[in-house]
Structures are given as structure tokens and as C-alpha cells.
Amino acid sequence: VTLRSTAAVGDAADLDRVNVRGSRDAQALALNQQRSSVNYMNVVSADLLGQFPDNNIAESTQRIPGVSIERDQGEGRYVTVRGAPKEFAGSTGVELDTIPSDVIAALEVTKAITPDMDGDAIAGNINIRTQSALDRDGMTLRASAAMGRYQLGDGDNERYNATIGNRFGGDDNIGVLFSASHSRQGRFTDNVETTYTRFAAGRILPTAVEIKDYEGTRPRTGITGRFD
């Protein structure tokens, strides 16, 4: 490959060096897991999910191709795979908004079910992998804090999480890890509900229109511990 400058000779500048840095983290392991999989699956690590402002597991899964979410009061709650109803990803629609996205290690979404998986799933399988101290060499120490305000309702939006773990033993084959997460969201929602009735000649007209305003605070706290 030959590179030619489009700048004039007089405007050219000599650079000492050009550094290209790559990050080799948990996402690299996730990509290798995708490549070695015998079926069609996507794996997203917590390191990559930490770059997005997702509050729960449901909102994290929407980063994966072929996955969409259903929202409740503006927040993701249910997950659908390949446009199928949410019940097709499990025996019932699972409310994944109860699990903070800060306490997991990776999300594994399988779109081709294999015989070793739950027989109740049709469209896909979602595996939530928790963090382990054996995932990394040495001590694991991670923390973050974020604050903001919602434009609608002017409510507070706080989020804190911390993870600490370490490996022990002569062969470093014993791992202990603890993780905690807390968020508090002051939400305000405008809602309009309309009831329709079918009249003669096939006409469908509204018979009732309800304008509702919801204002509330939603806290979410998660604590996990793991011993390997």
C-alpha cells in the first residue's frame, strides 16, 4: 500500500512517530468465544457495556444485533430476539430491568438453540454471566460514579458501582470477588391513553381519552459475591 500526501510540500510537517494502541481486554475474549462457538451467538463483555449508559440488563442486550427491547415508563424491561414475542425467549416474559448492568461479566445471546439449552426457549437464549476473580490476573478493582438530571420532570439520575476481587492460593486458583451497584432515578412520564369503539359502517372512533402524568423515583440496588 502506497500512501501519498495531498498537502503541499511547504505545508507538510515531520512527525516524530505515530502510535497505534489496541486494547486487549475482556471484549477480545468475548470475540474469541463467538468465533469458536458451534452455533450462532453474540457475546458482549462488561468492559464494552461500561461505555454505554445502560441501567439494566435489558437495555444492555439492545446493543446486540437482532435483539430489541420493550420499554416501560421509558426504561427497557423485556427482551425480544429476532422480532419474536418476548415469551419465545423463555417460558414467560422475564423482567430484566431488575438486574443492574454493572454486576455482570458478559452477556451471551444465542440465536440458534442447541439441545443442551432450556427447552422452553424458541427464539433465543440469554445467558447472564457473573463476574469472577479468575477472569483476570491479579487483583480486580473497578469503580465508577455518574450523576445527571432528566430534562423531563427535572429529576435526579445517580449511579454508583464498585467491584473488588483477588486471586489466592499457591497456583492462584482461588478467587473471591464482591460487586455492588446502586442507582436512583427520578422519572416523569407523560402518557395518553385512548379507548376506541367500532361503530356502524366500520367506523372506529375514540370514546375516551385519558391524559396521565407519572412522577416517581426508582431505586435499584444489586450486590453479588462469588467464590471460585
Side-chain angles (χ1 to χ4, degrees):
V1 178
T2 303
L3 301 179
R4 293 183 174 87
S5 176
T6 59
V9 178
D11 297 334
D14 293 332
L15 301 179
D16 182 31
R17 66 177 62 88
V18 176
N19 293 331
V20 179
R21 294 188 176 92
S23 59
R24 184 180 181 182
D25 54 6
Q27 184 59 21
L29 299 177
L31 293 176
N32 288 333
Q33 183 179 351
Q34 290 183 187
R35 295 188 183 100
S36 61
S37 175
V38 297
N39 57 350
Y40 185 37
M41 69 182 303
N42 293 99
V43 184
V44 182
S45 69
D47 288 353
L48 181 62
L49 294 177
Q51 301 177 14
F52 304 104
D54 301 325
N55 294 309
N56 58 60
I57 295 297
E59 294 188 345
S60 297
T61 57
Q62 69 177 333
R63 312 292 178 182
I64 299 175
V67 179
S68 59
I69 62 175
E70 295 183 18
R71 296 183 180 272
D72 180 71
Q73 300 295 318
E75 185 175 358
R77 170 167 291 186
Y78 298 106
V79 176
T80 61
V81 180
R82 289 183 171 180
K86 57 181 178 294
E87 292 82 4
F88 282 18
S91 58
T92 59
V94 181
E95 299 178 354
L96 292 179
D97 59 339
T98 59
I99 307 176
S101 59
D102 300 318
V103 298
I104 67 170
L107 280 174
E108 302 174 358
V109 177
T110 301
K111 304 170 186 176
I113 303 300
T114 54
D116 60 311
M117 296 182 179
D118 190 351
D120 293 332
I122 298 177
N125 182 79
I126 301 175
N127 182 39
I128 303 172
R129 200 167 72 222
T130 57
Q131 303 180 66
S132 172
L134 301 182
D135 292 339
R136 302 174 183 270
D137 296 331
M139 176 177 287
T140 300
L141 184 61
R142 182 170 57 249
S144 67
M147 297 185 68
R149 298 185 70 84
Y150 286 101
Q151 184 177 6
L152 181 60
D154 200 27
D156 293 331
N157 184 11
E158 304 174 1
R159 181 177 173 184
Y160 313 95
N161 73 84
T163 301
I164 184 172
N166 204 354
R167 305 177 66 153
F168 304 94
D171 298 327
D172 286 338
N173 59 347
I174 300 176
V176 179
L177 183 140
F178 296 95
S179 179
S181 173
H182 176 75
S183 64
R184 183 177 181 273
Q185 301 169 335
R187 291 181 174 271
F188 187 91
T189 304
D190 292 332
N191 189 30
V192 178
E193 299 179 6
T194 306
T195 303
Y196 296 90
T197 302
R198 182 183 296 273
F199 293 91
R203 293 182 302 172
I204 300 177
L205 300 175
T207 56
V209 178
E210 299 179 356
I211 300 176
K212 300 179 180 180
D213 294 333
Y214 295 95
E215 185 174 5
T217 301
R218 179 167 191 181
R220 182 186 292 106
T221 302
I223 300 176
T224 63
R226 180 164 171 174
F227 175 81
D228 297 289

